[in-house]
Amino acid sequence: GQQVMQIPQYQHVQEGEDFTTYCNSSTTLSNIQWYKQRPGGHPVFLIQLVKSGEVKKQKRLTFQFGEAKKNSSLHITATQTTDVGTYFCAGLRAGGTSYGKLTFGQGTILTVHP
Amino acid sequence: DGGITQSPKYLFRKEGQNVTLSCEQNLNHDAMYWYRQDPGQGLRLIYYSQIVNDFQKGDIAEGYSVSREKKESFPLTVTSAQKNPTAFYLCASSILTGYYGYTFGSGTRLTVV
């Protein structure tokens, strides 16, 4: 079945440093979504990427979708303590019968030291 | 305000007992989902439903059952057949399956004692 791998599993940074998490799918994706889960909370939808090579920005967050639509990344510039949490990518398989079934990566747990 | 309500927030169950987790949404979303979250394993899909009276098994459906009698409601029953039920359970919904972001409930933390 489809697998979505996310690395690293953990990332510890000093406040002000940059952070990047990477997502790789075993199959070509129709789209990829990113979610953030604060400690003790639930995942919150951040963004969706659909087009090959697409880049989207939300303030200090930059999201990229690979040309082959099999990988994606989330980059945070100058991290703040409010960025703490787990970041998940989730992909929808292209052309499959599993219409609507997002497959989530394992998540990257980000801690920010002030 | 629209959203998804999961109840209860914490649930304790004795081994051998079935337990039902509630999930209600007032977002008028067609699709609803149940995920299980364990440390280090991300979110794993248990069941999902695209329309009323229809639902599909996810990747880890064994030991679980669901119903979708109303558009707003998608309860999950954790049966005694589930070998390791202690986990954090998340319900989600979306407008059109897969092409819009999911809205998640606040989750139910189930502990088997």
Side-chain angles (χ1 to χ4, degrees):
Chain A
Q2 180 188 12
Q3 289 188 329
V4 176
M5 306 300 293
Q6 199 173 342
I7 57 170
Q9 187 173 0
Y10 303 94
Q11 186 75 59
H12 310 282
V13 299
Q14 278 302 123
E15 189 172 21
E17 291 181 340
D18 291 357
F19 159 76
T20 304
T21 175
Y22 300 90
C23 186
N24 291 287
S25 171
S26 58
T27 60
T28 303
L29 300 171
S30 288
N31 64 28
I32 194 156
Q33 299 178 5
W34 285 91
Y35 293 78
K36 177 183 179 181
Q37 183 176 19
R38 294 182 185 275
H42 58 275
V44 174
F45 174 72
L46 294 176
I47 207 162
Q48 174 173 265
L49 305 172
V50 178
K51 299 176 182 177
S52 171
E54 188 169 15
V55 178
K56 288 189 176 181
K57 292 189 176 184
Q58 288 180 349
K59 296 183 180 179
R60 295 177 295 103
L61 278 61
T62 301
F63 304 85
Q64 293 188 328
F65 200 11
E67 294 290 340
K69 300 186 74 173
K70 295 182 72 173
N71 57 72
S72 181
S73 65
L74 158 59
H75 179 82
I76 301 178
T77 303
T79 55
Q80 301 175 357
T81 54
T82 53
D83 295 325
V84 164
T86 302
Y87 291 85
F88 292 100
C89 62
L92 179 66
R93 183 173 180 174
T97 57
S98 56
Y99 180 69
K101 269 177 54 178
L102 281 177
T103 299
F104 281 78
Q106 304 97 315
T108 294
I109 300 172
L110 173 65
T111 56
V112 180
H113 300 286
Chain B
D1 289 338
I4 296 184
T5 301
Q6 287 188 245
S7 60
K9 190 172 178 67
Y10 298 96
L11 188 58
F12 295 87
R13 188 196 89 176
K14 290 184 179 180
E15 281 191 26
Q17 289 181 338
N18 292 353
V19 63
T20 298
L21 281 57
S22 171
C23 178
E24 302 276 336
Q25 56 101 355
N26 61 2
L27 299 166
N28 199 34
H29 285 174
D30 292 307
M32 297 187 74
Y33 315 83
W34 274 105
Y35 283 88
R36 170 179 171 143
Q37 185 172 29
D38 297 284
Q41 295 196 47
L43 304 177
R44 293 184 290 168
L45 182 64
I46 305 173
Y47 269 98
Y48 67 105
S49 168
Q50 297 177 1
I51 57 172
V52 174
N53 292 322
D54 185 58
F55 47 83
Q56 307 294 329
K57 290 183 179 180
D59 301 315
I60 56 165
E62 186 175 351
Y64 299 98
S65 66
V66 293
S67 63
R68 186 88 186 276
E69 297 176 1
K70 298 187 300 182
K71 188 176 184 178
E72 302 80 16
S73 179
F74 191 40
L76 173 74
T77 296
V78 184
T79 74
S80 56
Q82 169 50 230
K83 299 285 187 232
N84 185 21
T86 295
F88 188 47
Y89 291 89
L90 287 158
C91 179
S93 70
S94 68
I95 294 175
L96 180 66
T97 53
Y99 291 95
Y100 292 86
Y102 288 6
T103 300
F104 282 86
S106 56
T108 293
R109 192 166 298 278
L110 172 64
T111 303
V112 175
V113 297

